[in-house]
Amino acid sequence: MFDKTVAAGRPAIDKTEVDKVQKQGNEEHAVYEHANAKKRDIGHSRLSFPPDILNSIKSTNSSDYSWVGNNFVPPSGVPVFTPSQIKDYFQNRNVLFLGDSTNRRFYGTMKALIHADDLDDISLEALDKAAAAKFKATNDGRSTCGPRAIKSLMPLPEFGCDNVVGSTAEKYAINQFDDYKNSSIIEESVKETKGFFDTGLGYCFHNILWYLNVANKGGELLNAMKADYDLIIINNGIWEPLNKESCRRNATSGLGSLPALLDKIRNESSKDLQIVYRTTGFADHDGRGNDAWNLSLDFVNYAKQYFYKIKMGQGIDSLEGLKPNITLVDFGSVIFKRSFREKRIRGDHIAHYGVEARLLYAQQLMHELIKAELENW
């Protein structure tokens, strides 16, 4: 636990805030345990884990991780997912990572994990180099990642596309065909491809809200995302208090566009489109006072309460009985303990974390994605 005895110029972390996060986590864990009490001895036709591991995954969640030093510790019975398992999973999904610079760094880390020459020996240097890479925008309709509905619109800043090695998407990559637009056979085949591994910039909450808005190009961008992807992962929020002007905020308090964004992803998700929201991390203190991390904590707590209500069946009356296909990855509550003073896992910028934090998020993401499949299977 943090105390209030801090060095000069460092924020005093209120113990009551830490207790509040822990208490809410305990309450949610109790609810999940109750909900899953009668669903034991499960299996799954595609996920190659024994039933006891699947039970552990389903009965825990991403808030349940802890730390030993800077190494994360999964909940009891939950494995550490290997690069091979992560690669196998994403070979069967079409994913778009949307977010800010923390999203870009995570996307690079994930690419390094799944595209390594030796999946059993990935160096720290490779992970850091991939995270720091600036991805070239891919707006050329004949780029080597293959056809995408979204590319014809060219609307996403810093859009980049790739395919998971060994996936069907790689097989039908555009550079393997001539005049692909005139081939109905190829077009039909592409509809069944899996393994899209794409990214785009969504610096602030309002940016992603606009991408999902039917008023944006008459809904063309939203429809293109629904055509291309079965999974969208949203990673942003940390810049809201750090760059108020860009994020259209006039104060370092208030939830801004977050409530509207969560409502939007709830409404646009479907059986064919899962949308993941990651709770935000915390900026390293740089003399701006406690406002930045306090606001981030508000974002974390609001998102957790929002998803808790969805879990309990609240706030979905307008969906006519359909269950929202949305998933929370609670990175914020866990990284909170490694965000301040000498305990922070520091990155190359006050908004960024080091590799240990990104590997935690990769683990949490896999945990929640598999759990969601088990709950919907």
Side-chain angles (χ1 to χ4, degrees):
M1 291 294 183
F2 296 114
D3 57 35
K4 294 186 178 182
T5 306
V6 295
R10 294 293 186 181
I13 310 301
D14 190 345
K15 183 176 181 297
T16 60
E17 293 292 346
V18 182
D19 291 341
K20 183 191 299 182
V21 172
Q22 186 62 50
K23 180 180 178 182
Q24 182 174 345
N26 291 340
E27 291 174 349
E28 291 173 350
H29 182 74
V31 170
Y32 289 132
E33 279 291 309
H34 177 74
N36 293 315
K38 298 182 179 180
K39 299 179 181 179
R40 304 301 182 187
D41 298 324
I42 55 178
H44 194 285
S45 58
R46 188 173 67 79
L47 302 175
S48 56
F49 296 99
D52 58 334
I53 288 180
L54 295 178
N55 284 330
S56 295
I57 292 171
K58 192 172 181 182
S59 62
T60 57
N61 62 73
S62 55
S63 301
D64 295 332
Y65 285 74
S66 56
W67 296 97
V68 173
N70 283 348
N71 297 313
F72 67 80
V73 179
S76 178
V78 176
V80 174
F81 300 104
T82 67
S84 293
Q85 290 169 333
I86 296 172
K87 178 181 178 180
D88 288 346
Y89 181 86
F90 281 101
Q91 280 181 334
N92 294 289
R93 301 299 301 263
N94 288 331
V95 60
L96 173 66
F97 295 84
L98 270 181
D100 54 24
S101 58
T102 65
N103 175 75
R104 185 188 69 238
R105 290 175 66 78
F106 179 66
Y107 177 76
T109 300
M110 290 290 284
K111 285 186 66 174
L113 286 175
I114 66 176
H115 287 167
D117 292 333
D118 185 351
L119 294 175
D120 295 321
D121 184 14
I122 303 174
S123 69
L124 180 63
E125 179 184 6
L127 293 173
D128 277 336
K129 183 178 180 180
K134 300 286 186 179
F135 300 108
K136 183 179 179 182
T138 310
N139 291 327
D140 181 1
R142 295 189 60 81
S143 62
T144 57
C145 65
R148 306 276 199 277
I150 199 171
K151 287 197 300 183
S152 64
L153 301 174
M154 297 187 293
L156 284 179
E158 296 185 23
F159 173 73
C161 60
D162 203 352
N163 300 312
V164 179
V165 174
S167 66
T168 54
E170 184 188 43
K171 178 181 178 182
Y172 292 106
I174 194 172
N175 63 328
Q176 297 183 29
F177 301 103
D178 294 322
D179 267 340
Y180 77 93
K181 290 184 179 179
N182 296 325
S183 173
S184 60
I185 296 177
I186 292 174
E187 287 185 356
E188 286 302 312
S189 298
V190 165
K191 290 179 182 179
E192 303 302 321
T193 60
K194 294 293 182 182
F196 293 174
F197 203 80
D198 301 349
T199 185
L201 177 65
Y203 192 70
C204 306
F205 293 145
H206 76 82
N207 296 127
I208 296 180
L209 187 60
W210 175 239
Y211 298 158
L212 301 176
N213 197 314
V214 293
N216 184 355
K217 296 181 177 290
E220 288 183 359
L221 176 55
L222 175 61
N223 290 334
M225 287 192 284
K226 289 181 176 181
D228 286 338
Y229 307 108
D230 56 52
L231 176 62
I232 295 175
I233 301 173
I234 297 173
N235 306 302
N236 69 354
I238 203 166
W239 287 97
E240 295 280 329
L242 295 179
N243 195 334
K244 295 185 294 182
E245 292 76 18
S246 294
C247 291
R248 300 180 182 177
R249 303 182 62 88
N250 57 15
T252 54
S253 62
L255 296 170
S257 297
L258 178 59
L261 175 60
L262 295 182
D263 282 348
K264 188 63 175 174
I265 68 173
R266 176 200 65 192
N267 294 342
E268 297 301 339
S269 71
S270 67
K271 65 180 180 64
D272 298 317
L273 177 62
Q274 179 182 10
I275 304 180
V276 172
Y277 176 80
R278 179 214 67 186
T279 55
T280 186
F282 303 83
D284 201 359
H285 178 61
D286 65 343
R288 304 186 191 198
N290 292 349
D291 289 341
W293 78 262
N294 278 331
L295 181 58
S296 293
L297 189 61
D298 288 342
F299 292 155
V300 171
N301 286 329
Y302 180 83
K304 291 177 70 176
Q305 292 166 4
Y306 186 95
F307 278 79
Y308 174 81
K309 290 178 180 178
I310 295 292
K311 183 81 174 179
M312 296 295 99
Q314 301 176 29
I316 59 175
D317 294 343
S318 61
L319 302 182
E320 299 180 351
L322 297 176
K323 180 183 177 182
N325 192 6
I326 58 176
T327 301
L328 179 71
V329 178
D330 189 19
F331 175 73
S333 292
V334 180
I335 202 61
F336 185 86
K337 296 179 180 180
R338 290 295 181 271
S339 293
F340 305 105
R341 304 197 301 275
E342 69 280 356
K343 288 188 175 182
R344 183 177 179 87
I345 299 174
R346 287 187 167 82
D348 64 348
H349 187 278
I350 62 169
H352 300 159
Y353 289 94
V355 64
E356 299 94 340
R358 299 194 300 275
L359 293 177
L360 162 72
Y361 177 36
Q363 170 77 16
Q364 291 178 300
L365 176 62
M366 284 297 296
H367 184 155
E368 294 291 1
L369 288 173
I370 293 174
K371 177 176 178 174
E373 285 204 28
L374 292 171
E375 290 180 334
N376 293 325
W377 183 57

